[in-house]
Amino acid sequence: MMEQKNPGSVTHLQMDNEGIAESWNNVIVEARGWPITCLIEFMRHTLQKWFFERRAAASAATGPLATKVEADLRKLVDKSTTSFPFPSSQYEITVLDGDLDGDVDLRRKKCSYRRFDLTGLPCEHALAGARDRGISPYSLCSRFYTVEAWLSSYGGSVYTLGNEESWVIPNDIGSMMIAPPLVKQKDGRPKKKRRLSKGEKNSKQRKCSRCGVLGHNRVTCTTVCPPPSRHA
């Protein structure tokens, strides 16, 4: 089963609905070939485990933000110390870093590189400006990264169904005959690999069987390999 990323991480919180669905499909890819009752039980058991583990991780967080986001923010704060802010007003600041200088508006949570819009987290320029203006970096972070939001996401509990013999099923439900859906079978083998969501990179790389280098195959290999040695 695929190892899931910490739900408090930036990657998880930025994931769109399509990416979440594709990730879930990747988790149940093997179970999808099982009988429907086994598939549903596998899904229920997986969610029960995830909700408990995520809730425990959120409860153990020591900072105001989710654990992974807290660590990422601290790294950005450290990097921002090499930038030089030049305020135009209390909240509008031009920040110079010797490379990609930027303008930030701390009140509106806007920056010239649109980091706020894309991630909901302040960039290095915004953090440098916040330090100069005496503003807490936590006030610039989206509430969706807070431990409170993390706990709320996994606040519910998923319970076991108990022994099937103990289930109370109404007569009108028990007597129903449900036919399989009318689905037109597509040609070829069903696809099991999930589609990458927008902005997600494929972590798997091909290894060339000719030179052994990652990133290409023997057909596109341009490496000059030494000729085979000849033994006298």
Side-chain angles (χ1 to χ4, degrees):
M1 183 174 67
M2 180 185 72
E3 180 65 23
Q4 293 298 293
K5 296 182 179 179
N6 187 330
S9 69
V10 175
T11 304
H12 181 88
L13 290 173
Q14 288 177 226
M15 191 177 294
D16 56 17
N17 291 335
E18 182 180 354
I20 294 174
E22 290 293 341
S23 294
W24 177 245
N25 284 336
N26 193 58
V27 172
I28 64 173
V29 62
E30 296 298 332
R32 283 160 59 182
W34 300 350
I36 184 64
T37 53
C38 297
L39 169 62
I40 295 300
E41 176 59 18
F42 174 81
M43 296 168 64
R44 185 209 59 75
H45 179 269
T46 301
L47 291 175
Q48 178 182 345
K49 180 174 178 289
W50 283 1
F51 268 62
F52 176 79
E53 292 176 347
R54 272 50 171 185
R55 193 162 51 242
S59 300
T62 57
L65 300 180
T67 307
K68 178 63 168 57
V69 182
E70 182 81 28
D72 291 343
L73 182 65
R74 291 184 183 276
K75 292 179 181 178
L76 289 174
V77 169
D78 292 339
K79 293 179 66 175
S80 70
T81 57
T82 59
S83 301
F84 301 93
F86 292 89
S88 301
S89 65
Q90 175 66 14
Y91 299 102
E92 296 174 304
I93 305 168
T94 297
V95 181
L96 308 181
D97 61 5
D99 183 20
L100 299 175
D101 305 332
D103 298 315
V104 296
D105 186 336
L106 300 181
R107 183 193 297 275
R108 299 173 57 210
K109 296 184 179 180
K110 297 287 184 180
C111 69
S112 54
Y113 291 97
R114 303 181 66 84
R115 175 70 182 269
F116 282 114
D117 297 329
L118 294 173
T119 68
L121 290 173
C123 61
E124 298 172 33
H125 297 138
L127 292 171
R131 184 181 65 254
D132 182 76
R133 298 289 84 203
I135 297 175
S136 170
Y138 294 116
S139 65
L140 304 177
C141 301
S142 170
R143 62 169 295 273
F144 295 105
Y145 292 106
T146 63
V147 172
E148 180 184 1
W150 190 6
L151 281 168
S152 177
S153 298
Y154 297 95
S157 297
V158 180
Y159 299 99
T160 59
L161 298 177
N163 192 296
E164 186 175 352
E165 296 179 356
S166 63
W167 295 356
V168 178
I169 303 176
N171 293 330
D172 57 334
I173 299 298
S175 60
M176 292 178 62
M177 297 296 295
I178 302 177
L182 299 176
V183 179
K184 183 179 180 180
Q185 186 69 31
K186 297 182 180 180
D187 296 334
R189 182 181 299 176
K191 294 182 179 180
K192 291 189 175 182
K193 293 184 178 180
R194 73 179 185 89
R195 294 176 297 175
L196 298 179
S197 58
K198 187 176 182 180
E200 185 180 3
K201 296 182 179 180
N202 189 356
S203 58
K204 295 183 179 179
Q205 291 185 335
R206 294 181 177 179
K207 183 177 181 180
C208 179
S209 60
R210 180 170 175 267
C211 66
V213 177
L214 296 176
H216 65 273
N217 55 29
R218 66 180 296 109
V219 176
T220 57
C221 181
T222 59
T223 304
V224 178
C225 297
S229 60
R230 296 182 179 178
H231 299 281

